[in-house]
Amino acid sequence: MTSSALYTDHYELTMVEAAMASGTASRRSIFELFPRRLPSGRRYGVVAGVGRAMQLLRDFRFGDEELAFLRDHQVVSPAVLDWLADYRFSGDIWGYPEGEIYFPGSPLMIVEGSFAEACILETAMLSVYNYDAAVASAASRMTLMAGDRPCIEMGARRANEEAAVAAARAAYIAGFVSTSNLEAGRRFGIPTAGTAAHSFTLLHDSEREAFEAQLTVQGKGTILLVDTYSIEEAVRTAVDLAGPELGAVRIDSGDLAITARDVRDQLDALGATRTRIIVTSDLDEWQIGALSAAPVDGYGVGTNLVIGSGHPTCGFVYKLVARAASSDPDAELVPVAKLSANKATVGGRKYAMRRYDNDGIAEAEVIGVGVQPQGDQNDRPLLHRLVAEGEIVWQDDLAAARERHRAGLAELPRAARKMSQGDPVIPTLYESDYA
């Protein structure tokens, strides 16, 4: 097992040491992972990373190597090292499942346990949720604009190697159909796809020789890259070699809308009426939307996907919202909150529900503070039990997450489809039983 215990910040452990010294480390506490706001102009967000976060929690163990590092660098005292050696999260976690839509204030993860055991999970949970949800949220906007046309994830060369795998997973949750990343395919069962790059064409003495070699191995259903030299000549050569059975051509440069129309006309004139056109070249959701009227059959998306289309993090935070009045296991929970300018928090244990109108369209994200919000027959609770007394109990898979994302989008008002700057498509409302 590879430990994830040091995927954390130094100050998590020094807080634990100080809390032990003050006698408060064992106080029952509730931490909440949530967004204060959506990235500027976004109308909704998409939850991703829950499965990866649960894996990190499973592997959050301080073994001999981790303890030796902390000891050698004098990060904490011997007493804390002894506590860490036996660390196992024994509390409870609730959260929004993957693929779910979220809004400002949504309590995406609620962690309940002693202060010490819940505190040190902060950085690991935030690092997963912030990145995965950023990619999923961008991917959702891209697939929304693509409609029935498939989107292929191909951003591995634009990200850290582990981030690339995480990005492929998050994009798949939000509707991408496949990835170029083989490790993502091996680890998560995501369909993989790929054919050839410009270097393959340049390797050969002519474009015709390159196409012949690719067709020999991959068959006529392959995708031929046609913009290494002259697109018009490449399309002619491709159809000459493969005939009308040619699967697809890929365009990776130039004015994609104009070029796609020209290529479509040429393919049809040559009898390759069923040959598809795939476009790549630094696409984002706005470009995909702009290509909706072009004769394009699919999109390959890389750079803008893995950087969250300009928002590589969601700004999620992990804050203490309630703690026991004493270390007594039965002590009353006291709401606590920050009052900092622009960083204020809402104290108290949260519950979440989505409110719908009579047509099943979402009207509001309703957050109960200290109390379950009141709903009617078609309103839907959003929090699910992920961990019970330290045991991971949530069972989910990527197929379920993809369907959850699809269903969640269908519930949103039509304004969610707008790519223009705007406010969240539904408001977040709070109901509280605190005086």
Side-chain angles (χ1 to χ4, degrees):
M1 180 191 76
T2 301
S3 171
S4 60
L6 295 186
Y7 288 170
T8 190
D9 285 327
H10 187 119
Y11 82 162
E12 311 288 3
L13 301 189
T14 55
M15 281 194 290
V16 168
E17 181 163 22
M20 287 181 174
S22 69
T24 55
S26 62
R27 283 190 180 185
R28 187 161 63 101
S29 300
I30 297 178
F31 284 84
E32 181 184 324
L33 187 154
F34 66 94
R36 288 194 176 96
R37 59 191 68 86
L38 295 178
S40 177
R42 294 282 177 90
R43 296 169 186 265
Y44 67 91
V46 178
V47 178
V50 181
R52 292 207 314 118
M54 292 300 98
Q55 183 62 54
L56 255 67
L57 179 66
R58 184 178 290 112
D59 297 340
F60 206 91
R61 305 283 188 269
F62 291 84
D64 292 342
E65 290 185 15
E66 291 74 34
L67 294 169
F69 170 81
L70 297 175
R71 183 183 303 109
D72 293 346
H73 290 80
Q74 299 181 341
V75 175
V76 287
S77 67
V80 176
L81 289 173
D82 290 341
W83 180 80
L84 293 174
D86 295 326
Y87 178 85
R88 301 290 186 275
F89 179 75
S90 63
D92 300 304
I93 299 178
W94 293 261
Y96 282 39
E98 291 194 278
E100 184 63 83
I101 308 300
Y102 75 84
F103 296 95
S106 294
L108 304 184
M109 175 182 274
I110 295 171
V111 181
E112 182 170 359
S114 71
F115 175 83
E117 67 176 346
C119 163
I120 63 174
L121 297 178
E122 175 182 1
T123 303
M125 297 300 104
L126 283 175
S127 66
V128 170
Y129 271 69
N130 262 315
Y131 182 68
D132 289 34
V135 173
S137 298
S140 178
R141 287 159 60 87
M142 293 170 184
T143 55
L144 195 62
M145 289 295 97
D148 294 334
R149 300 172 178 179
C151 290
I152 304 163
E153 187 281 318
M154 46 191 297
R157 291 168 293 171
R158 301 293 186 265
N160 167 277
E161 65 276 12
E162 281 299 319
V165 178
R169 183 182 184 278
Y172 188 65
I173 287 171
F176 274 59
V177 300
S178 61
T179 177
S180 66
N181 190 292
L182 292 175
E183 178 59 22
R186 183 190 72 84
R187 198 179 299 182
F188 301 119
I190 301 170
T192 62
T195 51
H198 291 101
S199 60
F200 183 76
T201 300
L202 294 169
L203 170 68
H204 293 81
D205 292 336
S206 69
E207 194 165 52
R208 175 175 286 271
E209 289 183 14
F211 287 177
E212 285 176 336
Q214 185 175 332
L215 289 164
T216 297
V217 173
Q218 298 179 8
K220 293 181 179 181
T222 191
I223 303 171
L224 294 178
L225 181 58
V226 295
D227 70 336
T228 305
Y229 306 119
S230 163
I231 292 177
E232 182 178 358
E233 181 61 30
V235 171
R236 185 179 300 110
T237 301
V239 177
D240 182 50
L241 292 171
E245 294 81 23
L246 177 62
V249 295
R250 177 162 74 95
I251 307 167
D252 188 49
S253 59
D255 187 315
L256 296 177
I258 293 174
T259 304
R261 291 189 185 95
D262 291 342
V263 169
R264 182 74 271 159
D265 289 343
Q266 186 181 6
L267 287 169
D268 291 347
L270 294 169
T273 57
R274 290 187 294 179
T275 298
R276 295 169 295 121
I277 298 174
I278 308 299
V279 296
T280 53
S281 187
D282 291 332
L283 296 175
D284 59 22
E285 59 266 49
W286 292 280
Q287 291 170 299
I288 292 173
L291 289 166
S292 61
V296 170
D297 299 287
Y299 307 94
V301 191
T303 301
N304 285 302
L305 177 65
V306 300
I307 63 170
S309 195
H311 297 287
T313 179
C314 296
F316 296 157
V317 293
Y318 183 97
K319 299 298 180 184
L320 183 68
V321 295
R323 50 86 175 168
S326 71
S327 296
D328 186 328
D330 298 320
E332 179 185 3
L333 280 172
V334 179
V336 294
K338 286 178 57 177
L339 301 177
S340 312
N342 300 319
K343 290 190 175 183
T345 58
V346 177
R349 170 65 158 93
K350 309 297 193 308
Y351 303 86
M353 177 191 77
R354 191 153 297 149
R355 180 170 292 160
Y356 299 91
D357 65 17
N358 292 333
D359 296 320
I361 301 301
E363 289 186 318
E365 191 89 338
V366 184
I367 311 300
V369 184
V371 63
Q372 291 275 5
Q374 295 299 306
D376 57 26
Q377 74 283 350
N378 69 340
D379 293 339
R380 180 166 62 89
L382 297 168
L383 289 167
H384 295 257
R385 190 75 166 267
L386 305 180
V387 178
E389 297 181 350
E391 294 296 321
I392 298 171
V393 296
W394 178 246
Q395 299 294 324
D396 203 14
D397 57 34
L398 294 186
R402 282 167 64 85
E403 173 56 26
R404 191 176 295 116
H405 168 258
R406 186 205 62 76
L409 281 184
E411 295 171 349
L412 297 182
R414 288 183 61 83
R417 300 182 64 88
K418 294 181 179 179
M419 288 296 105
S420 56
Q421 296 275 319
D423 295 327
V425 71
I426 60 173
T428 300
L429 308 177
Y430 288 88
E431 296 180 358
S432 175
D433 72 344
Y434 295 115

